[in-house]
Each structure stands twice: as structure tokens, then as C-alpha cells.
Amino acid sequence: MKTLQSAQLLWRDLNVSPKELHLDTLRCGQSFRWHRASDYWSCVLKGQLCVLRQTPATVEFGVVDVGQENRIRALLRDYFQIDRVSLEACYERWSSLDKNFAKRSKAFEGIRILRQDPWENLVSFICSSNNNIARISQMVQKLCVHYGPPVATLDGVVHHDFPSLTQLAGDGVESKLRNLGFGYRAKYIAKTAKLILEEHPEMQEQWLFQLREIPYAEAKEALIRMPGVGPKVADCVCLMSLDHPEAIPVDTHVWQIAQRDYGFSKKLKTKTLSAKFYDQVGDHFRDLFGEYSGWAHSVLFTADLRSFKDAAKEVANVVAVEDQKIEVKMEQVEEPSEPRKRRKTVIKKETFVEEVQA
């Protein structure tokens, strides 16, 4: 196991603008293994320690062995799907389709969908049931510490790789995870590992990669067969590791967004998210945003997270200033030949003034 100091790292340009990738992507509930230091992020991907830092113009990655530079660059560009999706073009299209997206995405440029290892992604989101990001991260860290191989120490922090399927299918895993505080999720993790091992003994976790090659609905159905995997977890895995960008995970955040910003509260007599409304919310976003709709939904999800509240306030302030400019401009123009009146639509303390035909 290597022991490193961040001062030893040589920094290389990933050649990606902040509009295409911002490292806030790593704290919006997709992956739970990135360690955040004062000025860099670090994680083990495919047995390789990866270290990243944000600059005003780009994202840089750190290397010690320059012979590994090209391998790490290729690994990261695939992980962030940099060469697969032009995010800036997507933001422009989504903003033209949806005023709410245009407003809320102002402070959240560069939020990408990760292309993760499907096995890690599946186990991580089994841990997400009735949980929050901080606690999921703690559970995933425990999995790595107790079952994953150590790879490197950076500034005194030991970094482990994610445990393999065989490591989590072993005897005594469930009881140990329960002792570590996983609760009922311990059973689901152990049973899922054993089920895949029994049904795909030769491929093991590599079987999950095949789900990238089949239609989204079939991949989702295959995942729901796993213990502890419902529609939301299956959609997370489809979106974040299986190349199905139309998957829309609907959790409480997304359900609240649908009710607050997209009119779903008018259809309800209850605030409970049923299977029927789960599908309707997903279909609504797919119809609204079209291609890569799961990516657009993830930006809205990020903008709604409590940990991003300062950026959200910044957006609200910008919108308020823009609204004041619009109102002043409307006061200065001559009255139209046909009488008009103003209609106010209030959405959660933010007022939008529309001019409509009388």
C-alpha cells in the first residue's frame, strides 16, 4: 500500500470547463466514497487512487507516477462521461424547455451523472433505503474498511477499494453488518450478493455490466429481482452506472419538487407517493426534457438539497433582481393600444410578474 502526501502530487489538466464538470457533482448523492479535504477530493476507482481539485477554469487530477497519467485521465473522463455527453448543450436545451430548470440551474452548472461501477452503485443504494447522504456515506465507508482492500494512504487517510461480490457473499457478512449498524439493509446486501453469485457464478458482479446493453425497462426489471431493490434504487443504478439516462429516481426530494414546481399537488388528495404517481412523475420529466432526462432531473434534485442551500439562495437573489428589472422596464414602457393587466403567480416566496392580455 502506497503512503503519499498531497504535496507530492503533480497536477494535470483534465481539460474540462466548469460548465461541463463541477466537482459539486461528487456531493449530490450519487457516489458516497469520495473523501473531501480542504482543497481536493480523493477516491479509489478500479484499484487506482484518484485525486481531483477544482480550479476556476478546469478540473485537475493529481499523479505521482507520470507513467500512469494517461490511464488516470482516461479512467476519469469515462467516470464523468466527459466524452459521451456535452453538458453545456444539454443545459441550454433543458432551459429552453422549462423555465423552472432555467431558474434553478443558474448556480448549479456542471452537475453530471457519474458512470460508476454497477456493483458498488447497487450496494450503495441498497444502503440508501430510509437514509440520508451522510449516513449512507458512513455505511459505505464501513463496507470498504472491513471488506475492501486498502490501496493507498493520502495525508494520513487510508483509501480502500470497494469490496467484491464474493467478499460480501461470505459467511457471517449479514451478522457483522448488523453489528456495524446496517440494520435490515445487512440482510439485503448479503442476500443480493449470494443471489448474483448463485445465478451467475462465472460472471459474478460482471453480470451487471450486461444490463448496459439491454433496454432500460428490462434492466430495471432485472434489478428489482434483487433483495432490497425497489423502483427507486433500480432507477438510481440504471441512471448512475448502467447507461440508461432516461431513468428518473423519484424519492421524497423529487416528489416534493414535482408537487411544488410541476403541479402534482393539484392531482392529490394525499401527500404519499404511490407507485402510480412514481411512474407519472418519471414520465412527466421524460416527456418534458427528452434525451438525458435523468441528467436534467439530477440538477433539480441537487438544487433542492439542504447542503446546497447557499447556492440556492444565490439563485433566488439573482431571480429577484431580474424580476425588479423587468418590473421597472414595464413601468417605463408606453401603455399598449389594448388594455393589459398584471397577474402575479407566487411560488414559495418568489414572485414572478407576467403580462397577459386583458
Side-chain angles (χ1 to χ4, degrees), residues 45-92:
L45 302 176
K46 296 184 178 180
Q48 174 68 56
L49 177 66
C50 295
V51 188
L52 300 169
R53 70 181 183 186
Q54 186 81 50
T55 75
T58 189
V59 170
E60 296 178 334
F61 63 97
V63 298
V64 175
D65 181 359
V66 293
Q68 293 290 315
E69 179 180 337
N70 289 337
R71 176 178 179 267
I72 297 173
R73 177 182 279 106
L75 174 63
L76 290 170
R77 290 186 73 87
D78 178 72
Y79 183 75
F80 289 108
Q81 309 198 65
I82 293 170
D83 301 313
R84 295 166 62 90
V85 180
S86 173
L87 192 60
E88 188 174 0
C90 285
Y91 269 57
E92 290 177 1

Side-chain angles (χ1 to χ4, degrees), residues 135 139 174 177-188:
R135 192 154 179 264
M139 288 182 173
E174 179 182 343
L177 292 182
R178 284 189 179 276
N179 290 335
L180 290 172
F182 282 68
Y184 61 86
R185 304 168 194 86
K187 176 178 67 176
Y188 293 147

Side-chain angles (χ1 to χ4, degrees), residues 171-294:
D171 294 337
V173 169
E174 179 182 343
S175 60
K176 183 171 182 177
L177 292 182
R178 284 189 179 276
N179 290 335
L180 290 172
F182 282 68
Y184 61 86
R185 304 168 194 86
K187 176 178 67 176
Y188 293 147
I189 293 170
K191 284 192 172 183
T192 292
K194 289 178 180 178
L195 179 61
I196 295 176
L197 187 60
E198 290 170 2
E199 294 188 350
H200 308 280
E202 295 184 359
M203 298 192 69
Q204 299 182 18
E205 62 260 61
Q206 292 299 311
W207 163 75
L208 290 165
F209 285 87
Q210 292 187 333
L211 302 184
R212 290 177 172 175
E213 310 301 324
I214 64 177
Y216 158 59
E218 294 179 21
K220 182 175 179 178
E221 184 178 352
L223 291 170
I224 290 177
R225 291 184 56 248
M226 301 294 108
V229 178
K232 180 254 181 177
V233 170
D235 275 328
C236 286
V237 179
C238 282
L239 177 63
M240 301 170 194
S241 63
L242 296 181
D243 298 346
H244 295 295
E246 69 272 43
I248 308 286
V250 182
D251 66 355
T252 54
H253 282 289
V254 177
W255 180 225
Q256 289 166 4
I257 292 167
Q259 292 181 85
R260 184 189 65 216
D261 299 334
Y262 294 95
F264 275 80
S265 59
K266 297 176 182 178
K267 304 176 182 180
L268 288 177
K269 294 181 180 178
T270 175
K271 294 185 178 181
T272 304
L273 175 60
S274 64
K276 173 185 174 182
F277 281 111
Y278 184 101
D279 292 338
Q280 287 187 4
V281 170
D283 289 341
H284 175 81
F285 285 122
R286 279 183 281 270
D287 292 341
L288 176 60
F289 294 115
E291 190 176 17
Y292 296 104
S293 51

Side-chain angles (χ1 to χ4, degrees), residues 319 323 327 344-347 349-353:
V319 171
D323 285 347
E327 291 192 29
K344 290 186 178 180
T345 304
V346 180
I347 303 178
K349 296 185 181 179
E350 296 168 350
T351 303
F352 303 86
V353 180

